[in-house]
Every structure is written in C-alpha cells, then in structure tokens.
Amino acid sequence: MPERPESEELVLSFLADAADEFVSGEAISDKLGLTRAAVWKHVEALRAQGYRIDAIPARGYRLAGVPDRLTPLEIRPLLNTHDVGQVVHWYEEVGSTNDRAKELAEEGAEHGEVVVAEAQTAGRGRRGRTWASPARKNLYFSVVLRPDLPPARAPELTLVASVAICEALRQAGVEARIKWPNDLLASGRKIAGILTELAADPDRVQWVVLGVGVNVNARAEDFPAEVRGEATSVLLERGQAAPRALFAAACFTALEDWLDRHAEGGFAAVRDAWKRHSATLGREVSVKVDAREIVGVAEDLDEGGALLVRTESGVERILSGEVRMLRPR
Ligand code: BTN
C-alpha cells in the first residue's frame, strides 16, 4: 500500500475528534500548520478514498461517513496502544495474513506490527483446515510478536490471545466463550479462531505470528455450506452489523493489554480470566490427542495452560488436542 502523507491522517483525526460538529478550514490550518489550500487538497484526497466530508462555506468541514475499510487511516485514530497496530500493513487481498506476517518477521518486522487484509484467498485454520475469508465482511489479521520466552512457553500466547479476543467480543455485545485451547464460541458456534506460528532458537523464541480471524459481519450465506451450521458472527449474534475498524482497534488494544500482563506476571496473570471465560471447564468432553480419544470431565487449566481431564483411570494432562463437548449444556 502506498505511504499516505501524515498530514492527511492528521486532518482526518481532527475531523473525527470533532464528531458531528463542523470545524472551520482556518482552525484546521492553524492547528496543523497547513495552508487552507493544503487542507482542501487533503479533504479531496480523503473523499476520493470513500470518506464523506460535508463542506459548508462559513462553517467549515464535517466528517459525515467513513469507508468500511481497515487501512491504518481508519484504525490508527481509534487505537490506544504503544506497539500493537502502530504499524499496519494493509492489503485488499492476500493469500494468508499469517504467511505475509511470517515473511515480514523474517525481514525484521518489529514487535506489534500487524498485517490486515480485507480478503484472504488461502486463509488457513488449525490442523490444515481452511478459514473462509470473504471480502470486507470480517476481520483477518496477524500480529508479529517478539516475546522474551523459551519456546516451550510459546503456546501460552495463544491462550493470552483467546482471552483478549473474547473480551473484545464481549465489549461488542457478544457473549463469547473460549473452547480449549483457543476457539471462540458464541451460542455454541465458532465466531473466531487463532492460528499461532513461530520461529525459535533452542532456548529463545525469535518471533511469533498470532493470526486471528473473527467473523464480524458475515451472514449465513457467506459461510461455505460445510461450516454454515457451526459458524456464527457478531452480526448474527447481535442482529446488527459492527463497525469493523472500531472492532479491530478494540482487538489490538485488548491484545496488547493481555500481552503486557502476561509479560509482567507470567501465565498466572491470565489463567483466571481464561477460566472465567471458558466454555470447556466443568463439561464432559472427548479429546482427540493424535490417535487417542480421552473421555472425561474437563476439570481445570493448569499453570502451564494444559487441560486437566478427569477420566475413569485418573487425571490426564493434555497439552494439545481437539475437544468435543459431549452433552449440550
Ligand atoms: C482456527 O480456528 O482454526 C484458526 C483460524 C485462524 C484464521 C486466521 S485469519 C487471519 C490469519 N491468517 C490465516 O491464514 N489464518 C489466520
């Protein structure tokens, strides 16, 4: 994506801060140190990108509508972070944001840089599944992280991300829950998923890419037939579309908040929140671990993020597997 002049973003922030009030061209040019002609040029450039800006002589400019897009221009003014999302690499379409973020990580991308796409042509889920990624409906992003962690503790970051995305969904009015380890469910259906990939030396993680897909404004017909019965979205849960840029900014902010808590207090600082939002604990489950099937009651999440399942022959500690809930609640 071409670099945008910073003053265009500043003009937009100025208009956004004024909400539905008019601001005079003079006030904008004084504040930002631009000529009136330059302000007009930026307003025209913003209009060309889909921003609706009213202009009335003697009153000035008013922001009347923003495009439903996820470029840095839409997201950055809404962000409240120091790292996550301060640099956004935006694509109209990409194979997989995880693949692009991995390339950027190898090229030296910094902690918190995010890749966002309006559509993915090869969106990937866990266990080799595909992730349906229709254009401009949902949120598909991947964050590059450079945590100070030994590789064995990297899976904790996936649990951290699941708490953050769960809380962003709850703020958006969706009663989301976490199915171990990191599937986000609403009304028992999948609303978001997380795919974590990393590169590591024997004793230290080099980079982690956290890929997050959230079904935001998808309708039933936007999902492939084979997952339609098992998937939901913010729109389907609330009966109302969500502004995607606002939701993306909420996800980035929550992610950074929980990553900071994890960096300071370790997994113990996250575990209680994960347990509070869990859809799995207390349920009778069947967990597929490679070729084994473990059946029992999901009793707890331990201090390493493993699921503890009480079976007829004792407690099993499960580090990775595919959970199926055996009885409806
Ligand atoms: C899962 O639940 O199986 C994980 C789904 C992860 C999907 C996201 S969408 C953004 C990022 N890019 C990908 O190709 N996958 C992740």
Side-chain angles (χ1 to χ4, degrees), residues 1 4-17 23 28 32 34 37-54 61-69 71-75 77:
M1 183 186 135
R4 281 217 177 73
E6 199 180 302
S7 40
E8 189 178 306
E9 193 172 326
L10 292 174
V11 169
L12 181 63
S13 293
F14 204 85
L15 292 172
D17 285 347
V23 279
I28 303 176
L32 303 181
L34 298 169
V39 172
W40 174 247
K41 222 180 79 209
H42 291 312
V43 166
E44 284 295 283
L46 288 165
R47 281 176 168 161
Q49 292 171 70
Y51 287 86
R52 283 197 297 117
I53 300 172
D54 296 335
Y61 302 106
R62 180 175 65 178
L63 186 60
V66 300
D68 181 26
R69 244 186 4 192
T71 73
L73 201 58
E74 283 81 51
I75 296 176

Side-chain angles (χ1 to χ4, degrees), residues 58-323:
R59 292 189 73 189
Y61 302 106
R62 180 175 65 178
L63 186 60
V66 300
D68 181 26
R69 244 186 4 192
L70 297 172
T71 73
L73 201 58
E74 283 81 51
I75 296 176
R76 284 239 313 249
L78 306 170
L79 267 186
N80 191 9
T81 61
H82 42 85
D83 293 320
V84 177
Q86 287 302 323
V87 174
V88 172
H89 303 264
W90 174 86
Y91 298 91
E92 184 69 56
E93 186 179 279
V94 81
S96 151
T97 56
N98 263 39
D99 292 346
R100 185 66 196 114
K102 282 157 62 177
E103 286 166 5
L104 289 167
E106 285 296 326
E107 290 162 16
E110 300 210 359
H111 179 82
E113 289 191 27
V114 174
V115 176
V116 178
E118 302 290 354
Q120 296 184 117
T121 52
R124 294 188 284 112
R126 287 189 302 137
R127 299 176 191 280
R129 298 191 183 112
T130 55
W131 186 259
S133 311
R136 295 192 178 231
K137 296 274 176 181
N138 298 326
L139 180 57
Y140 321 112
F141 72 90
S142 302
V143 192
V144 175
L145 302 176
R146 297 198 180 270
D148 187 11
L149 277 184
R153 287 191 54 205
E156 292 175 17
L157 296 175
T158 315
L159 298 165
V160 172
S162 64
V163 169
I165 304 304
C166 187
E167 297 206 338
L169 282 163
R170 286 175 164 256
Q171 269 169 32
V174 174
E175 274 209 36
R177 298 204 154 272
I178 310 169
K179 184 180 122 184
W180 186 86
N182 58 11
D183 282 349
L184 279 307
L185 307 183
S187 310
R189 295 170 176 218
K190 185 136 167 180
I191 192 163
I194 299 164
L195 177 67
T196 308
E197 299 180 277
L198 76 152
D201 297 327
D203 57 344
R204 212 181 144 265
V205 166
Q206 282 172 18
W207 52 256
V208 169
V209 165
L210 273 180
V212 178
V214 185
N215 300 327
V216 183
N217 292 329
R219 297 180 182 277
E221 60 271 24
D222 296 318
F223 294 112
E226 60 277 18
V227 298
R228 204 165 286 159
E230 297 153 24
T232 189
S233 69
V234 176
L235 167 68
L236 293 171
E237 292 302 305
R238 302 192 320 180
Q240 197 190 349
R244 290 184 309 139
L246 200 63
F247 184 69
C251 287
F252 297 175
T253 306
L255 200 51
E256 183 166 281
D257 180 33
W258 282 101
L259 286 166
D260 284 353
R261 294 192 208 197
H262 178 255
E264 278 157 30
F267 189 63
V270 181
R271 184 170 164 232
D272 281 352
W274 191 96
K275 285 170 70 169
R276 216 172 31 250
H277 297 316
S278 168
T280 309
L281 297 184
R283 302 285 301 271
E284 207 173 315
V285 293
S286 155
V287 192
K288 210 160 161 258
V289 181
D290 302 323
R292 277 179 77 207
E293 191 91 14
I294 299 166
V295 176
V297 175
E299 222 171 47
D300 204 356
L301 182 79
D302 78 6
E303 56 289 340
L307 186 68
L308 303 182
V309 176
R310 181 166 295 280
T311 69
E312 282 179 351
S313 48
V315 175
E316 293 261 2
R317 179 171 190 266
I318 304 171
L319 278 164
S320 98
E322 184 86 350
V323 170

